[in-house]
Amino acid sequence: MKKTLFYSLSFLLFAGCSTAYNTPFNNSQMNQTSVTITDDGTTTNYIDETTSAPSAVIEEDLYENFIADGIIYIDFDGTTVKANLENNEQLTITNTEIPIGKIADTKITAVLSSNTIEDSENNIDEASDGIIIQYKGTGKIKYILSGTYEGTVFIKNKKADAAVILNNANITSSNGAGPVLRFSSELRTFIVVPEGTTNTLTDSRILNQSATMYDDKKGSVYSKGTLIFTGESANQTTGELSIINSGYKHAVYSKDYVRIAEGINLNINVKGTNGRDCIRALNAVIIDGGNINLTGKGTIEDDESNGIRVDGEDADEDDMTVEYTAGAGFIIINGGNLTINTIAKGITAHWKSTKSVIDDSEYTAITNNSLLCNNYLLGTTATKPNPFVEINGGIINITTTGEPYEGRTDDDPSCSPEGIEAKGALTINAGTITLQCTDDALNAGGNITINGGALYAYSSKNDAIDSNGSSGITINDGVIVAIGINTPECAFDCDQNPLTINGGLLVGLGTSNYTAPKSGKQSTGVLASSNYGNANTTMAIVDSNNTPVFVYTLPSSTGEVMILSSPDIKINTNYTVMKNVSVSGGTRFHNLYTTLPQISGGSSTITSLSTTSSNTVYTDSSVTSGFRDGPDDFNRTRR
């Protein structure tokens, strides 16, 4: 059985708005009452339309470039399976292996398997009940699956690319005996959903079930190589694929990487409480397009459901090996419409160097010859996984619902229901992102850089945006609303590292336990709640002509401190802060006006907000200097 080897760690204790406590604490510090803000998106009519060049573009990953050497048709009708090679006679598949033709001068065979145990003596590892289609050549094959079937479909083609076309296929694994689809190819497997088709894959396995033997493969759809979900073309009317995990490990698992392309409606549901992640991969997940809905309801302690998780390495205690790919372990989102609802993290690039066994002398490192290494990572100097997250576009909506908990050490059980997490760097270049989470909405073990896009980051119990990198948080452009108002958390947390604002339109609501911004290239204000107003009212910053340069309607809870910035607030210019104003018109993103409205009424609270080129941060005299300078914060370590 595959396991990850964890080490006992010694910890550096540092001040920060995070949730792992390693010094004595009391219940009031751990069992805080969350601050709930209801925001279903109705407070926005702004969609980010900026663009950023996609990353990890690999020509061979485009289905339009897949040229098949042969096509196999597989028709299901209950328990009856018929198959034929293109232009050949259709054959009924039985429990006796039969040839159904040749592709690239290598025969392809099919057999119905009813294994209920793994037979290592006879080299049988299927342990599944279903059909096995075996090909030992290197030609490219299209498998067209149609009809309804109960059993595992095992495409056994170790050295060949394949495209599995789901033509109104409805497949359920039999009696908990194995995954729904299993692929042995170490190369690419395309899962293609044609225009107008509706397809369902249901994994009946449940963790620790009795009376049946289930294959230990980790996914309802399991692959040793790359999995690419796609439509037939980017311009087609999308077909639909639903993957249902009843409660055994992950819905989709790849020992290489997963890519989701245009032209597909992909619904993945881990509906059993014993299930784990919607998508898990060893090396990477790359999303280029499609409409994707991920729901994870697994509640196993210390292994609650994530939406997307990339591990970066796979350690095996049985043979003391560790499989990894240099430079991999990352997540890239180039586009698409992605909705995630999970108990634990929405998206996580999970590899952590302090838990790695790659450098352990007792382990043998096996280089996984990933297609990423031969393409996107060609020439990389990285020698270990690089768990970064990069977002270049798309519409992303993530909701996490789990109760955050962490032990006193890094090996204790924990649940961190963060929205988007990178153990390395996290970069947002474009996209419209809405995160509503019980833990940090955005979290990075490294630096966070926002170059564009529209981001709503709300945490009911922890920080909105939390960086643990030495360069902290850098905002160069974009529209940002960050809310983390549950004491002692904050909107922007980067410990004693810099929060630097060089551009963009942003507002952050937090507590007096906040990270104070450093002087950047754009004017930034820090205001106390007494000067920006009460819940559900609108505040504004106006120039000498009473023309607004910044307008924000406060939510149902306002916090203690507001950090704001706008390119319309110029240096060496005097502004007035107004509260309780009335507004008319304008465009807003989660109540932050991106196109300024007309305002009227209200009362002034600060009449001398201004910055200079040498100090671009204005701090309200009613605001404390931030938690970095005081003893209020606890010694804590973010996982």
Side-chain angles (χ1 to χ4, degrees):
M1 179 174 292
K2 301 281 187 178
K3 296 180 180 178
T4 301
L5 179 62
F6 295 107
Y7 290 104
S8 298
L9 303 175
S10 58
F11 296 95
L12 295 175
L13 302 181
F14 58 87
C17 290
S18 52
T19 56
Y21 297 77
N22 294 293
T23 53
F25 53 88
N26 57 48
N27 289 334
S28 65
Q29 293 170 345
M30 286 295 291
N31 300 317
Q32 303 162 21
T33 302
S34 64
V35 178
T36 300
I37 294 175
T38 301
D39 185 351
D40 59 5
T42 58
T43 61
T44 179
N45 51 9
Y46 172 84
I47 300 292
D48 175 59
E49 295 182 352
T50 62
T51 59
S52 181
S55 293
V57 176
I58 300 173
E59 291 297 318
E60 292 88 343
D61 284 355
L62 298 175
Y63 179 60
E64 62 196 59
N65 294 329
F66 182 90
I67 308 299
D69 296 302
I71 301 175
I72 298 172
Y73 297 87
I74 305 167
D75 295 326
F76 299 114
D77 184 8
T79 58
T80 301
V81 183
K82 295 183 177 181
N84 65 286
L85 197 60
E86 189 176 21
N87 300 322
N88 285 10
E89 178 185 359
Q90 190 176 62
L91 304 171
T92 298
I93 309 304
T94 68
N95 58 5
T96 300
E97 186 175 21
I98 60 172
I100 57 177
K102 286 187 176 182
I103 293 176
D105 295 326
T106 303
K107 71 177 180 180
I108 185 163
T109 64
V111 64
L112 296 184
S113 168
S114 57
N115 295 328
T116 56
I117 61 172
E118 296 203 14
D119 186 349
S120 58
E121 183 176 341
N122 293 303
N123 197 30
I124 297 173
D125 67 349
E126 282 75 61
S128 59
D129 186 354
I131 183 173
I132 302 172
I133 305 167
Q134 181 162 295
Y135 174 66
K136 296 182 179 180
T138 58
K140 295 183 177 181
I141 308 176
K142 284 186 179 180
Y143 303 82
I144 300 179
L145 278 53
S146 305
T148 299
Y149 183 60
E150 183 176 347
T152 295
V153 178
F154 183 9
I155 308 295
K156 200 170 183 180
N157 58 329
K158 185 175 181 180
K159 299 299 181 182
D161 282 326
V164 177
I165 293 89
L166 300 177
N167 181 31
N168 292 311
N170 187 349
I171 305 172
T172 301
S173 63
S174 176
N175 299 318
V180 190
L181 295 182
R182 176 180 173 187
F183 307 110
S184 67
S185 175
E186 296 175 351
L187 302 177
R188 293 176 178 83
T189 299
F190 293 86
I191 297 180
V192 185
V193 182
E195 180 176 2
T197 64
T198 301
N199 307 273
T200 304
L201 305 174
T202 303
D203 186 351
S204 64
R205 296 176 295 175
I206 298 175
L207 189 67
N208 298 325
Q209 68 193 73
S210 60
T212 60
M213 169 63 192
Y214 50 86
D215 192 301
D216 194 42
K217 298 303 174 281
K218 298 179 180 180
S220 303
V221 176
Y222 174 87
S223 178
K224 288 195 71 175
T226 297
L227 275 175
I228 302 172
F229 294 87
T230 181
E232 290 186 302
S233 72
N235 298 320
Q236 72 171 21
T237 301
T238 53
E240 185 162 343
L241 170 60
S242 296
I243 301 172
I244 300 170
N245 179 293
S246 299
Y248 180 75
K249 296 194 175 179
H250 318 296
V252 173
Y253 184 87
S254 169
K255 292 197 73 175
D256 199 340
Y257 64 96
V258 173
R259 184 186 288 273
I260 303 174
E262 292 280 6
I264 185 173
N265 287 328
L266 179 60
N267 306 305
I268 298 177
N269 186 354
V270 177
K271 70 175 186 179
T273 56
N274 284 331
R276 295 180 184 173
D277 302 338
C278 297
I279 299 174
R280 186 182 285 199
L282 176 57
N283 289 321
V285 170
I286 304 164
I287 298 176
D288 298 313
N291 298 311
I292 305 154
N293 291 281
L294 308 179
T295 302
K297 298 182 179 179
T299 58
I300 296 175
E301 183 181 280
D302 202 38
D303 210 353
E304 292 85 353
S305 284
N306 299 303
I308 297 172
R309 170 170 159 168
V310 175
D311 284 335
E313 70 178 69
D314 191 11
D316 191 333
E317 289 181 344
D318 294 335
D319 60 10
M320 300 302 287
T321 62
V322 55
E323 188 173 31
Y324 69 103
T325 295
F330 59 83
I331 296 167
I332 294 175
I333 300 176
N334 292 317
N337 191 332
L338 177 60
T339 300
I340 300 176
N341 289 273
T342 52
I343 302 296
K345 301 177 193 294
I347 294 173
T348 174
H350 196 73
W351 184 83
K352 190 173 183 181
S353 59
T354 54
K355 285 192 174 185
S356 174
V357 298
I358 289 175
D359 291 330
D360 188 334
S361 60
E362 295 185 6
Y363 276 74
T364 299
I366 302 172
T367 300
N368 183 334
N369 293 315
S370 169
L371 297 167
L372 286 173
C373 281
N374 298 326
N375 293 274
Y376 175 63
L377 296 174
L378 187 64
T380 180
T381 58
T383 57
K384 294 182 180 180
N386 181 8
F388 69 85
V389 173
E390 179 182 311
I391 299 174
N392 298 310
I395 299 174
I396 303 169
N397 294 282
I398 297 176
T399 302
T400 67
T401 59
E403 178 71 21
Y405 64 86
E406 298 204 32
R408 294 173 182 267
T409 75
D410 205 43
D411 289 333
D412 287 343
S414 67
C415 178
S416 300
E418 293 157 339
I420 301 176
E421 178 200 46
K423 294 297 186 184
L426 196 160
T427 303
I428 298 174
N429 295 316
T432 302
I433 305 166
T434 299
L435 310 175
Q436 301 185 83
C437 308
T438 51
D439 206 335
D440 297 345
L442 211 64
N443 180 277
N447 304 320
I448 293 177
T449 303
I450 301 175
N451 297 315
L455 170 65
Y456 175 75
Y458 161 62
S459 173
S460 62
K461 294 194 173 185
N462 290 308
D463 301 313
I465 301 176
D466 182 347
S467 164
N468 294 285
S470 59
S471 295
I473 301 169
T474 302
I475 299 171
N476 296 315
D477 205 348
V479 178
I480 302 165
V481 178
I483 301 176
I485 54 180
N486 186 64
T487 302
E489 314 304 339
C490 48
F492 305 99
D493 168 22
C494 40
D495 304 313
Q496 298 187 42
N497 299 309
L499 165 61
T500 306
I501 300 169
N502 296 319
L505 172 64
L506 67 94
V507 64
L509 294 179
T511 67
S512 58
N513 203 38
Y514 74 102
T515 292
K518 307 295 184 182
S519 188
K521 296 179 181 179
Q522 181 170 284
S523 293
T524 300
V526 182
L527 306 179
S529 58
S530 58
N531 287 321
Y532 56 76
N534 300 320
N536 302 312
T537 64
T538 301
M539 60 84 63
I541 296 176
V542 300
D543 64 16
S544 58
N545 296 317
N546 205 41
T547 300
V549 294
F550 180 92
V551 180
Y552 177 58
T553 299
L554 294 157
S556 56
S557 295
T558 65
E560 299 169 324
V561 172
M562 174 187 292
I563 298 174
L564 63 92
S565 187
S566 169
D568 292 330
I569 302 175
K570 308 300 181 182
I571 63 172
N572 299 318
T573 304
N574 198 67
Y575 296 96
T576 297
V577 178
M578 307 283 294
K579 65 179 181 179
N580 299 322
V581 301
S582 298
V583 297
S584 175
T587 302
R588 56 184 175 170
F589 178 71
H590 293 274
N591 279 338
L592 175 61
Y593 281 84
T594 56
T595 301
L596 292 168
Q598 294 181 334
I599 67 167
S600 60
S603 59
S604 61
T605 60
I606 297 173
T607 59
S608 58
L609 188 155
S610 65
T611 63
T612 65
S613 58
S614 60
N615 180 16
T616 58
V617 179
Y618 170 88
T619 302
D620 177 354
S621 60
S622 300
V623 174
T624 63
S625 58
F627 74 85
R628 303 299 171 240
D629 300 319
D632 297 334
D633 197 38
F634 316 112
N635 287 326
R636 292 172 285 180
T637 289
R638 161 62 65 199
R639 297 247 175 117

